[in-house]
Amino acid sequence: MKYFNLFPASLACVLLAAAPSAFSADAGDPAAGKSKNSMCIGCHSIGGYNTVFPEDYHVPKIGGQHAAYIVKALQEYKAGNRSHPSMRAIAAGLSDKDMADLAAYYASDAMKSAAK
């Protein structure tokens, strides 16, 4: 009976050990993201920057942000679920790979250091 109780824990350990390889296929390439960030850097690299069109909007610095959050935000802009028109237009032209690459770049250690 004691061995049966160990089965769920053992199974969980095996699944967790295999998880990184399952997620790595979707992981972006930070070097590729750096080469794709020309539409991002003009606003998101300036501390305290606000856009004035179409409304006054505080632009967040995204260096050091979690990659999953960046991908999700870009997907939401592309789907029209977030309303900033400039971001919607930019995200509309991004593939899933582009989003993953940009997210990997902005989540990289180099960008975390720059965000401080």
Side-chain angles (χ1 to χ4, degrees):
M1 192 59 103
K2 290 181 183 179
Y3 295 109
F4 181 74
N5 290 335
L6 292 176
F7 180 74
S10 299
L11 180 61
C13 289
V14 169
L15 292 174
L16 287 173
S21 62
F23 292 115
S24 64
D26 296 329
D29 176 6
K34 184 175 183 177
S35 71
K36 297 176 183 180
N37 81 335
S38 62
M39 294 298 291
C40 312
I41 197 166
C43 297
H44 289 287
S45 65
I46 304 169
Y49 181 68
N50 285 8
T51 62
V52 293
F53 179 80
E55 61 189 46
D56 188 28
Y57 177 79
H58 170 72
V59 178
K61 285 186 78 172
I62 57 176
Q65 184 58 268
H66 294 280
Y69 176 81
I70 294 172
V71 169
K72 182 68 175 165
L74 290 170
Q75 290 170 339
E76 292 292 309
Y77 281 117
K78 187 172 186 172
N81 297 328
R82 288 192 176 201
S83 63
H84 195 278
S86 298
M87 284 302 303
R88 287 176 78 177
I90 291 167
L94 297 175
S95 68
D96 290 341
K97 177 70 172 140
D98 293 335
M99 291 180 192
D101 291 345
L102 287 165
Y105 171 66
Y106 280 103
S108 70
D109 289 339
M111 291 305 296
K112 288 177 186 174
S113 296
K116 290 182 181 180

